[in-house]
Amino acid sequence: MTQVLRPQTEAELAAVIRTAAGPLCIAGGGSRLPPVGRRGQVLETGGLTGITLYEPGALTLVARAGTPLAEVEAALAGERQRLAFEPADLRALLGTGGTPTIGGVVATNASGPRRIQAGAARDSLIGVRFVDGTGLLVKNGGRVMKNVTGLDLARLMAGAHGTLGVVSEVAFKVLPVPEAAATLVLRGLSVAAAVAAMAAAMGAPYDVTGAAHVDGETLLRVEGFAASVTYRAAALRSVLAGFGDAGIEAGPEAVAARWQGVRDVAAFAGWPGDVWRLSVKPSDAPGVLARIGAEAVVLDWAGGLIWALMPDGADLRARLGPGNGAAPAAFHGHATLVRAGADTTARLPRFHPEAAAVAAIAAGLRAKFDPRGILNPGLMG
């Protein structure tokens, strides 16, 4: 059995990559993409742990990449602060173990329901340290929210899935936990009506921080000071009157449980079948769903994010037809295979094929940061 590489320091990480004789399979805490079926010797970053700086007054936190996400969130909760972008825990959905890490959050740009209001993980990222494919340590950004550093490599690393470098340390801006929250619930809407209701809510001036449709319920969240939440929830209820009588759930535990389920796609946990993640223009969601024939769906980001439960082995992309505007019915978005059996993952690429111009840019970046092609080769093209 091949030994798993688990460096304990940044210097060890650099040495491992610099002296690597072949491909490396980057696996943070092992909670997302399992190394089975992927190329190369497994390199885990879970040994790089610890919060190195936390200044609540400056809304800044710095941690090594292998630090468990739960440890980061506990430290923030102690000061009534949080990561605004709401990173998911997909272990139940994927059937994996391991420990979600803050570096894995950055590598996958993991962003939950609040993305529609607070932005993605990359939008809260203010600095990063990583080791590129040559073993060179690269530092970009800083430990404060205002810094001028030239190229924004921190955001480039967010969502690169370890193909441009292995993250060793990250710095985030954080935000206070709001005083109150409420969820408006509409029941029995079709997908088309749910998307229209969410669009109406997002177009209203009431600062919606979550808009989802799951298990026949359309959910809309507002957060802030207690009096503001009460006012905005009532105002939104009036805006949505044409879609039905919206109930309001205001208890903090109930609101948190609702949105944790949306965030973690709990509706599909333990269900048989493949899981796909589609990023689309929200208004396109009903038409896309009509074409793919999903067994069940969860909509997030006001319809811009679709989680689709598909039959085993189904090629969802083939059902979507041509892309890049080649036909009136072209699919404009991205479809990612998130969970499937070994046969399907061997046959279908995990990530959506890139347009030619984007692929050329991506190849140029990989050639610059990983000239030997050893970091998660083949994962993203």
Side-chain angles (χ1 to χ4, degrees):
M1 182 176 180
T2 304
Q3 180 183 6
V4 173
L5 302 172
R6 190 180 174 88
Q8 304 297 304
T9 66
E10 205 169 56
E12 289 182 12
L13 173 63
V16 165
I17 295 175
R18 186 168 55 251
T19 60
L24 295 171
C25 174
I26 316 303
S31 66
R32 288 181 178 268
L33 298 178
V36 176
R38 295 169 62 199
R39 292 172 53 196
Q41 186 171 11
V42 177
L43 169 58
E44 292 184 352
T45 60
L48 304 168
T49 62
I51 296 172
T52 58
L53 175 71
Y54 179 31
E55 296 183 353
L59 299 176
T60 303
L61 180 140
V62 182
R64 297 187 181 96
T67 307
L69 177 60
E71 181 179 329
V72 171
E73 292 179 328
L76 293 172
E79 299 290 339
R80 287 197 55 77
Q81 294 181 345
R82 67 185 182 188
L83 295 169
F85 52 89
E86 215 167 356
D89 181 350
L90 298 182
R91 286 177 292 182
L93 174 71
L94 300 176
T96 59
T99 301
T101 64
I102 194 66
V105 166
V106 171
T108 59
N109 194 32
S111 311
R114 204 175 289 111
R115 179 172 183 169
I116 59 173
Q117 186 257 1
R122 62 166 53 95
D123 298 306
S124 292
L125 188 64
I126 58 176
V128 66
R129 294 165 67 95
F130 66 94
V131 178
D132 71 9
T134 69
L136 176 67
L137 174 63
V138 181
K139 297 176 283 185
N140 184 247
R143 297 185 172 199
V144 295
M145 282 187 279
K146 293 183 179 180
N147 58 78
V148 180
T149 57
L151 295 176
D152 195 351
L153 298 181
R155 295 195 180 197
L156 181 65
M157 294 299 294
H161 290 263
T163 59
L164 300 178
V166 181
V167 173
S168 58
E169 185 180 84
V170 296
F172 279 105
K173 66 179 180 182
V174 299
L175 291 177
V177 174
E179 181 179 86
T183 302
L184 282 77
V185 185
L186 288 162
R187 294 180 172 86
L189 298 185
S190 66
V191 168
V195 170
M198 291 188 286
M202 295 302 298
Y206 301 121
D207 197 20
V208 173
T209 67
H213 181 71
V214 55
D215 289 336
E217 296 182 325
T218 306
L219 312 174
L220 298 155
R221 180 177 60 188
V222 290
E223 300 173 294
F225 293 110
S228 173
V229 167
T230 299
Y231 166 76
R232 287 183 288 130
L236 268 178
R237 193 178 189 188
S238 296
V239 168
L240 298 170
F243 297 94
D245 186 17
I248 299 178
E249 297 176 351
E253 293 184 358
V255 173
R258 277 276 193 190
W259 292 95
Q260 181 177 324
V262 174
R263 183 197 74 183
D264 299 344
V265 202
F268 294 168
W271 281 47
D274 297 346
V275 176
W276 290 75
R277 181 183 187 274
L278 295 87
S279 178
V280 301
K281 185 168 70 175
S283 59
D284 287 348
V288 167
L289 291 176
R291 293 162 67 180
I292 64 176
E295 296 181 343
V297 298
V298 170
L299 303 184
D300 200 356
W301 303 351
L305 176 63
I306 301 171
W307 293 94
L309 185 68
M310 301 291 293
D312 288 335
D315 186 348
L316 180 146
R317 297 189 191 106
R319 299 186 183 191
L320 288 169
N324 302 320
F331 170 63
H332 300 284
H334 297 86
T336 303
L337 179 59
V338 175
R339 187 189 76 191
D343 290 345
T344 303
T345 54
R347 179 170 52 90
L348 301 176
R350 185 180 297 274
F351 293 97
H352 201 86
E354 297 170 326
V358 175
I361 294 172
L365 288 169
R366 284 194 290 270
K368 175 64 176 178
F369 288 101
D370 181 24
R372 293 183 292 163
I374 64 171
L375 301 179
N376 280 342
L379 179 62
M380 298 191 73

